[in-house]
Amino acid sequence: MEQNFIRKLIFDEKTRALLIQTLVIGIFAVLIYLVTKQTAYNLEKRGIGTGFEFLNIAAGYDISISLIPYDSNDTHLRAYFVGLLNTLMIAVCGCFLATIMGFLVGIIRLSSNWLFRNIAYVYVEFTRNVPVLLQIILYYTILLHLPKVKQSIIIFDSFYLSNRGLFSPAPIFKDGFSVVIGSLIVMIIFTFFLKKFLKKKQELTGKQYPIFLINSALIIFTPIIFYYLMGMPLEFDHPVMKGFNFKGGMVIRPEFLGMLFGLSIYTAAFISETVRSGIISVSKGQREAAQAIGLKANFIMRLIIIPQALRVIIPPLTSQYLNLTKNSSLGIAIGYADLVHGFGGISLNQTGKAIEIMLIVMSTYLTISLTISFFMNLYNKAVQFKGNI
Amino acid sequence: MEQVIQLEKVNKWFDDFHVLKDIDLTVTKGQKIVVCGPSGSGKSTMIRCINRLEAHQKGQIVVHGTELTNDLKNIDMIRKNVGMVFQQFNLFPHLSVIDNITLAPIWVKKLPKKEAENIAMTYLEKVKIPEQAQKYPGQLSGGQQQRVAIARSLAMNPDIMLFDEPTSALDPEMIKEVLDVMIQLAEEGMTMLVVTHEMGFAKTVADQMIFMDEGRIVEQATPDEFFNNPKSDRTKLFLSQILNH
Amino acid sequence: MTPNTSPYLSPNKMLNWSKKNLFSSWVNTIMTVIALIFLYEVGTFFLNWAIFKADFINNFRGETITDRTFCSKNIEVGQHGACWAIIFVRFHQFMYGFYPVEEAWRVNLVYAFLPFALIGVLFDKLPLRRVFLYFTFAFPFIAYFMLYGGPGLSVVATNKWGGLLVTLFLGVTGIALAFPLSILLALGRRSNMPIVKSICVVFIEFIRGVPLITLLFTANVMLPLFLPEGVKPDNLLRALVAVTLFQSAYMAEAIRGGLQAIPKGQIEAAQSLGLNYWQTTRKIILPQALKIAIPPIVNTCIGLFKDTSLVLIIGLFDLLGIGRAALSDITWTKLYYEVYVFVSLIFFIFCFGMSRYSLYLEKKLKTDNS
Ligand SMILES: Nc1ncnc2c1ncn2[C@@H]1O[C@H](COP(=O)(O)OP(=O)(O)OP(=O)(O)O)[C@@H](O)[C@H]1O
Ligand SMILES: [Mg+2]
């Protein structure tokens, strides 16, 4: 009887699974218990309390780049948001630039010109096989050794590049610009439905519509028309040299530029590879694909193929965006005031709340990652089920 | 007669899809049973339940007096005594033919390697491809692969062999070489449960024919009666389709 | 792949080749000209800087360079290129960090035997592979003894380690330790035990969702908080813990990809023969899954190898960290580009080599399967 019981416990598929899982939970519970107990003891001994009250204490340090008003009297919580916004800003800008560069390089990699093709290949191999941190530091060093403000490099008469960063005209939005933006948003939504409508019609009547061209034209030209209709409600404040520095305009600091270049040049190499393989997989046969640029007709073909290839490209592209966002945490190496640098670094050192702060920082990144993955999965499902997007 | 397999009111569901409905079946030692029926009728599911590749939810399956339950020891014991041959061969592509065959004797029966290899060679000779011993599955034809799969099962020295459409993934010229091996096995007295649509094979070998449809055993009879005087209309329709084909 | 990619054929073919690949149309011709000008400009600039106008050991006056003031470019401003002397003079640091000079032979010995430890893992058709694999398993212990010291060898604490030694140590050890862990995670993620599965999923997704730097910070700051007082893991070990956990999550996903590619029939065949879960896993599933998963695994290894440079942020001196240390030395400061180019080159050699190997495996896998 007893033997039967033991036998059932060990050899029954279900009870065994239960047993193993209980054991796993048990081990975890014990581990967590031991660690928490030890941590509490250690913290007490060092006189560090726990809790999140510190978030409401004045941070006491300055942050060089801030999208929202901030000074050293503001709280750690506000410093957190400043850092978070800076992280998001560099991530968004980086993804944007990386995408443009990546697509460009990816297409050049398929150029019919042997030299272009191989120059792009060398670029890809050199940038993706060198740590992004090293590249960020390198580009930042180059930026810091640009000419002084007085001898700024002038680009297009309105941008001034110097070792203090890039001085550029600042946009001033006047009344009515929101209408232009509004028209853009409305158009994007409209074209989405138009596409569905035309697809349906196409299925019913068999008549083919150049959906992509129609929609691109709508999205590009409608805001332009509205811009002129509203009396061009956008002006620029140009930077002017006054004494040793510029007045007016806006400045993009070298830390930001260093991060931007490092992240986007590095990520663009990976993006270009996904673009390249995406295009190859869509255009029939590699031989045909290898004749991209160089011929006008082929270039147009490329423009038609890319929208199709997007479906293949977008999943790996999002994972590159994720990587870029995570890599933006390297700002600390050159003093870019992102989440890890300010809140995760300086706040941590000042308050000593290592556990709380790392918890907040990690959860933040986790939230960003999971959000991106979530939309990624939605997209994948949409592609899988409808077969078309 | 010694009963080796008993199925009693066996029911199985895939989620809410009722695949097997009150299956009753008894197999005695040395018996050869051929199972046929339309696609999706549950033939594979039934024989896969017999060595617990699928778990049934209601009813009883008893093999050699041991009931199949969640008990892993019993499952292991039954699997050691019941061989299975699949439609897709399922040879291990990373192992050579001889390693495919000796794998289970060495790791399950704990035989010394040398002895396992001797056994493997015996069975390879039995299926008439001893010269392929050192090759990899990818280098063999379909018929050869299926014969290796049979030898692999036999090497565990089972008393019962289950076959799930062993020839339906084969080109016509290879079907015979596999069926010949199976016929020889039948002649040696192996207990066999075979899902197949090879009616010629059924007529020469089977003691009993089973016809399944929509998860039920619709008809069970001797081949003579089954082919010449089927009782159910469903069977008649099926036979007319398959024989005129 | 384009046809006729190789220009090294007969003159006639060469003409054809260049017609097709360089001058197929006037746009193409213009592009060729632009590319040639670009290559010429960049090429001459870089070659002059890096080689023809550069200092290596002596400056243009023939003096041996012992600090930055001897660099030609600091004597005749604007006339000269790189001053590689910083690399030569501080070569020991780049390779070994602050490892005692008279003990450096121990590191060299480890470096020399590293290829032998790897070769058995990398090439499956190697003669005597078994012997090499035994060596692979013994190597970590030998290497640890050689590097750290013990009976018969003086102890060199890990805070003396640096440069390539730290980069390789974190890379190789991190990967080696992460490998078994990642297999367990990948298997766990496919397990049908809900609790085991969720633990693995949460672990993997958590690690993949946060930047490595936050893990390094956590390990650095919090590990001492978690552990009893007496136990104080040194900084290198803390970094190793973070790196290993990080790598195991990424590797687990690569392996999961391989596991998914194994047809269900393989498992069923093994089960029907009476093999149990672990036997099926060890003998049937893993050998096949790992073979498929090796190229993506190697790619994660390349990523990790590059990411080891992050440890400089928590104050370790890896290759890049040593470079930065060299730059902050007042006698050598300002030779940024020399240092960064040199460090980049070393990383490039390792990573590019690994990526070639991964390509070779992918090709091999394709031919093996067809
Ligand atoms: N793992 C599974 N999950 C859900 N449904 C399944 C599963 N396996 C089989 N089925 C369904 O169960 C039914 C019976 O399947 P089974 O494979 O037993 O049929 P069969 O008689 O062997 O058919 P065939 O002649 O095509 O092999 C089918 O409708 C099939 O779709
Ligand atoms: Mg079937």
Side-chain angles (χ1 to χ4, degrees):
Chain A
M1 192 59 219
E2 194 168 301
Q3 211 178 0
N4 255 342
F5 176 73
I6 290 172
R7 184 186 162 123
K8 189 163 165 61
L9 211 62
I10 297 176
F11 291 116
D12 188 276
E13 215 173 350
K14 293 209 173 111
T15 36
R16 181 192 269 192
L18 218 65
L19 202 71
I20 293 174
Q21 301 194 69
T22 327
L23 220 75
V24 169
I25 292 182
I27 292 171
F28 260 76
V30 169
L31 258 175
I32 289 174
Y33 171 75
L34 286 178
V35 166
T36 354
K37 205 177 138 200
Q38 190 62 45
T39 309
Y41 174 77
N42 284 342
L43 285 175
E44 199 185 300
K45 232 182 136 210
R46 295 180 201 190
I48 310 172
T50 49
F52 291 92
E53 300 84 26
F54 74 94
L55 285 173
N56 298 319
I57 301 172
Y61 59 92
D62 283 311
I63 300 179
S64 56
I65 304 173
S66 172
L67 289 176
I68 51 174
Y70 171 88
D71 67 52
S72 59
N73 292 325
D74 282 316
T75 59
H76 285 290
L77 187 63
R78 196 166 180 86
Y80 164 80
F81 281 111
V82 172
L84 175 60
L85 283 176
N86 283 342
T87 292
L88 292 177
M89 174 169 72
I90 190 66
V92 170
C93 296
C95 288
F96 182 73
L97 191 59
T99 309
I100 294 177
M101 288 171 59
F103 272 73
L104 206 67
V105 176
I107 294 171
I108 294 176
R109 285 273 272 129
L110 295 167
S111 159
S112 58
N113 187 294
W114 186 87
L115 282 170
F116 263 60
R117 212 158 61 215
N118 283 286
I119 290 172
Y121 172 69
V122 171
Y123 160 81
V124 169
E125 289 300 350
F126 266 102
T127 46
R128 71 172 179 178
N129 284 314
V130 171
V132 61
L133 177 62
L134 175 44
Q135 292 189 49
I136 289 172
I137 293 175
L138 176 64
Y139 304 142
Y140 180 61
T141 309
I142 294 176
L143 286 166
L144 285 186
H145 291 84
L146 286 171
K148 298 220 169 62
V149 174
K150 283 259 178 198
Q151 291 98 38
S152 291
I153 304 165
I154 303 167
I155 309 160
F156 299 133
D157 274 344
S158 41
F159 296 91
Y160 303 87
L161 189 60
S162 71
N163 62 356
R164 298 245 191 110
L166 180 70
F167 292 85
S168 78
I172 302 170
F173 305 108
K174 297 204 292 195
D175 298 345
F177 193 76
S178 49
V179 179
V180 179
I181 298 290
S183 73
L184 178 69
I185 295 170
V186 169
M187 267 308 126
I188 290 175
I189 298 169
F190 174 70
T191 51
F192 180 75
F193 287 107
L194 185 70
K195 182 174 166 181
K196 280 200 162 164
F197 172 73
L198 288 179
K199 273 256 162 73
K200 255 222 181 100
K201 212 166 161 196
Q202 184 177 328
E203 275 164 23
L204 289 176
T205 60
K207 191 171 177 326
Q208 297 252 343
Y209 298 94
I211 301 175
F212 180 68
L213 282 181
I214 293 176
N215 282 350
S216 319
L218 278 176
I219 290 176
I220 294 169
F221 290 115
T222 323
I224 293 180
I225 293 168
F226 270 93
Y227 176 67
Y228 283 102
L229 278 181
M230 297 308 296
M232 300 193 265
L234 178 65
E235 279 181 4
F236 289 97
D237 172 25
H238 290 265
V240 188
M241 175 73 91
K242 283 251 173 77
F244 290 108
N245 212 337
F246 283 95
K247 270 257 157 63
M250 61 180 191
V251 58
I252 304 173
R253 299 178 57 96
E255 290 83 30
F256 179 83
L257 289 175
M259 288 297 289
L260 183 66
F261 292 149
L263 292 174
S264 50
I265 289 175
Y266 179 76
T267 312
F270 290 90
I271 291 181
S272 76
E273 283 297 287
T274 65
V275 168
R276 190 176 76 101
S277 52
I279 292 178
I280 287 177
S281 74
V282 169
S283 53
K284 292 151 232 111
Q286 306 191 344
R287 180 183 300 229
E288 192 189 325
Q291 295 168 349
I293 288 189
L295 282 174
K296 229 179 178 173
N298 262 322
F299 186 67
I300 292 167
M301 187 187 80
R302 219 46 51 198
L303 280 182
I304 294 165
I305 284 180
I306 287 174
Q308 293 176 33
L310 272 183
R311 206 189 315 167
V312 191
I313 294 172
I314 282 180
L317 192 62
T318 0
S319 80
Q320 288 309 326
Y321 289 164
L322 263 172
N323 286 343
L324 190 148
T325 308
K326 283 185 278 171
N327 282 335
S328 74
S329 61
L330 300 180
I332 192 171
I334 59 167
Y336 176 72
D338 77 328
L339 191 57
V340 172
H341 178 52
F343 188 68
I346 308 174
S347 287
L348 191 150
N349 279 338
Q350 289 193 354
T351 61
K353 305 273 186 193
I355 298 174
E356 293 85 346
I357 286 183
M358 285 326 291
L359 212 64
I360 296 176
V361 171
M362 284 182 166
S363 327
T364 307
Y365 278 104
L366 209 57
T367 311
I368 298 174
S369 301
L370 291 180
T371 313
I372 297 180
S373 317
F374 174 74
F375 284 110
M376 179 68 245
N377 286 342
L378 276 191
Y379 173 85
N380 270 344
K381 282 214 175 98
V383 170
Q384 260 172 24
F385 289 134
K386 293 186 193 111
N388 223 327
I389 230 190
Chain B
M1 264 302 183
E2 186 191 341
Q3 295 177 350
V4 285
I5 303 176
Q6 284 158 289
L7 280 77
E8 240 173 74
K9 297 248 175 296
V10 171
N11 279 275
K12 172 160 182 65
W13 288 263
F14 283 120
D15 296 323
D16 47 7
F17 176 59
H18 202 168
V19 212
L20 297 181
K21 301 169 187 162
D22 287 336
I23 300 284
D24 284 313
L25 176 70
T26 307
V27 184
T28 55
K29 196 169 167 54
Q31 212 176 16
K32 286 104 189 112
I33 295 184
V34 168
V35 183
C36 61
S39 181
S41 55
K43 309 178 297 285
S44 302
T45 310
M46 182 181 80
I47 71 166
R48 286 157 61 84
C49 279
I50 293 173
N51 68 350
R52 197 74 176 181
L53 289 179
E54 305 281 1
H56 61 286
Q57 282 110 13
K58 244 176 87 185
Q60 254 196 343
I61 300 179
V62 180
V63 182
H64 285 307
T66 311
E67 194 192 338
L68 268 173
T69 55
N70 284 331
D71 191 308
L72 292 167
K73 259 249 144 75
N74 286 347
I75 294 174
D76 279 349
M77 204 171 72
I78 287 169
R79 280 180 180 159
K80 268 187 236 174
N81 290 322
V82 180
M84 172 114 185
V85 176
F86 302 84
Q87 182 176 353
Q88 297 299 337
F89 328 138
N90 293 341
L91 291 181
F92 307 128
H94 61 299
L95 298 178
S96 66
V97 165
I98 187 103
D99 290 342
N100 259 281
I101 301 174
T102 55
L103 183 78
I106 291 176
W107 291 97
V108 179
K109 283 200 166 166
K110 318 272 184 228
L111 292 185
K113 192 168 186 271
K114 196 86 207 125
E115 198 181 328
E117 276 174 356
N118 287 338
I119 292 173
M121 284 317 293
T122 322
Y123 285 108
L124 273 179
E125 268 155 32
K126 193 163 187 167
V127 300
K128 304 186 185 66
I129 34 173
E131 71 283 359
Q132 312 286 4
Q134 299 308 326
K135 284 198 181 161
Y136 281 83
Q139 298 166 315
L140 302 182
S141 74
Q144 290 170 330
Q145 287 191 48
Q146 192 62 299
R147 283 186 280 160
V148 174
I150 295 174
R152 181 177 70 178
S153 272
L154 291 176
M156 284 299 284
N157 200 15
D159 344 308
I160 304 166
M161 288 287 288
L162 307 174
F163 293 83
D164 188 3
E165 307 203 28
T167 54
S168 44
L170 296 177
D171 294 336
E173 67 267 27
M174 294 169 190
I175 291 180
K176 191 178 171 301
E177 62 191 47
V178 172
L179 289 182
D180 283 348
V181 170
M182 288 168 64
I183 291 170
Q184 187 193 343
L185 204 59
E187 281 164 358
E188 287 167 11
M190 175 67 78
T191 312
M192 290 161 74
L193 195 56
V194 186
V195 176
T196 186
H197 292 150
E198 294 294 332
M199 289 306 149
F201 169 80
K203 280 176 190 161
T204 24
V205 168
D207 304 320
Q208 286 278 306
M209 292 296 298
I210 284 181
F211 176 72
M212 284 185 74
D213 189 29
E214 293 183 353
R216 287 180 201 285
I217 294 184
V218 177
E219 186 146 358
Q220 177 166 8
T222 60
D224 198 27
E225 218 170 319
F226 185 80
F227 288 109
N228 301 326
N229 189 16
K231 289 195 190 69
S232 128
D233 294 339
R234 207 50 206 87
T235 318
K236 283 178 199 158
L237 182 68
F238 179 76
L239 283 176
S240 72
Q241 278 167 353
I242 209 165
L243 294 178
N244 296 337
H245 184 59
Chain C
M1 281 287 164
T2 40
N4 305 332
T5 330
S6 161
Y8 319 107
L9 295 164
S10 68
N12 206 353
K13 279 197 178 152
M14 221 163 99
L15 208 67
N16 272 339
W17 177 89
S18 55
K19 235 184 200 161
K20 198 162 189 171
N21 289 286
L22 297 175
F23 308 106
S24 62
S25 69
W26 61 268
V27 180
N28 205 333
T29 310
I30 292 176
M31 285 169 68
T32 303
V33 173
I34 294 174
L36 284 175
I37 295 173
F38 172 80
L39 281 180
Y40 176 77
E41 290 292 333
V42 172
T44 48
F45 173 80
F46 185 76
L47 288 179
N48 277 334
W49 179 79
I51 298 171
F52 301 125
K53 291 190 176 170
D55 297 341
F56 290 90
I57 293 172
N58 300 325
N59 64 14
F60 73 106
R61 295 196 207 128
E63 299 157 333
T64 306
I65 302 172
T66 50
D67 65 59
R68 61 182 289 265
T69 55
F70 285 92
C71 290
S72 302
K73 67 174 177 182
N74 290 333
I75 299 170
E76 287 183 354
V77 178
Q79 302 282 307
H80 299 274
C83 183
W84 297 113
I86 183 173
I87 310 295
F88 290 107
V89 173
R90 300 179 72 106
F91 191 72
H92 178 86
Q93 285 198 7
F94 277 106
M95 290 301 120
Y96 319 102
F98 311 104
Y99 213 88
V101 180
E102 64 280 3
E103 303 287 342
W105 62 270
R106 285 156 54 177
V107 186
N108 286 336
L109 211 62
V110 172
Y111 284 166
F113 279 106
L114 184 61
F116 293 99
L118 291 178
I119 190 168
V121 183
L122 298 182
F123 300 101
D124 59 355
K125 298 252 157 64
L126 194 76
L128 293 180
R129 183 166 185 231
R130 201 159 260 267
V131 180
F132 279 105
L133 283 180
Y134 284 133
F135 181 66
T136 305
F137 284 112
F139 183 73
F141 303 101
I142 303 172
Y144 180 80
F145 171 69
M146 290 304 295
L147 293 174
Y148 188 77
L153 282 178
S154 61
V155 170
V156 181
T158 56
N159 59 10
K160 295 240 166 61
W161 301 13
L164 186 62
L165 174 58
V166 160
T167 298
L168 280 178
F169 173 79
L170 285 175
V172 175
T173 324
I175 290 165
L177 292 178
F179 187 58
L181 191 58
S182 66
I183 291 179
L184 289 180
L185 283 170
L187 289 174
R189 194 169 181 166
R190 283 170 58 85
S191 151
N192 41 24
M193 293 187 248
I195 289 166
V196 172
K197 184 177 172 157
S198 0
I199 289 175
C200 293
V201 170
V202 168
F203 178 84
I204 292 172
E205 292 307 326
F206 167 72
I207 299 271
R208 282 167 21 109
V210 301
L212 174 57
I213 188 68
T214 59
L215 293 176
L216 284 168
F217 272 162
T218 308
N220 204 31
V221 183
M222 307 214 318
L223 221 49
L225 282 181
F226 291 160
L227 296 171
E229 266 168 295
V231 193
K232 210 158 187 279
D234 62 42
N235 285 349
L236 190 65
L237 203 63
R238 294 180 204 176
L240 184 62
V241 170
V243 160
T244 305
L245 295 180
F246 181 75
Q247 174 67 358
S248 65
Y250 283 84
M251 241 191 214
E253 284 300 276
I255 292 173
R256 189 165 72 108
L259 291 176
Q260 272 165 346
I262 307 299
K264 216 167 151 243
Q266 291 291 308
I267 300 166
E268 289 176 352
Q271 284 178 345
S272 76
L273 288 169
L275 272 71
N276 62 28
Y277 175 81
W278 286 108
Q279 288 170 333
T280 309
T281 303
R282 228 174 72 68
K283 296 281 155 196
I284 306 302
I285 300 172
L286 280 183
Q288 296 184 61
L290 287 181
K291 194 171 166 194
I292 301 169
I294 285 179
I297 288 177
V298 175
N299 287 341
T300 68
C301 294
I302 298 175
L304 180 80
F305 193 76
K306 285 182 292 182
D307 282 343
T308 55
S309 58
L310 265 60
V311 298
L312 82 87
I313 298 176
I314 59 165
L316 289 178
F317 292 98
D318 77 315
L319 205 48
L320 185 53
I322 280 285
R324 301 255 280 183
L327 291 174
S328 60
D329 176 351
I330 202 76
T331 53
W332 287 108
T333 182
K334 293 214 169 150
L335 297 169
Y336 310 101
Y337 302 118
E338 287 81 351
V339 168
Y340 292 145
V341 167
F342 173 70
V343 174
S344 303
L345 194 70
I346 296 188
F347 272 108
F348 177 80
I349 291 169
F350 279 101
C351 296
F352 187 70
M354 282 191 268
S355 78
R356 290 294 102 173
Y357 173 71
S358 162
L359 274 183
Y360 152 82
L361 281 178
E362 261 169 68
K363 280 215 184 92
K364 189 159 151 284
L365 208 60
K366 264 186 202 145
T367 50
D368 279 2
N369 287 347
S370 59

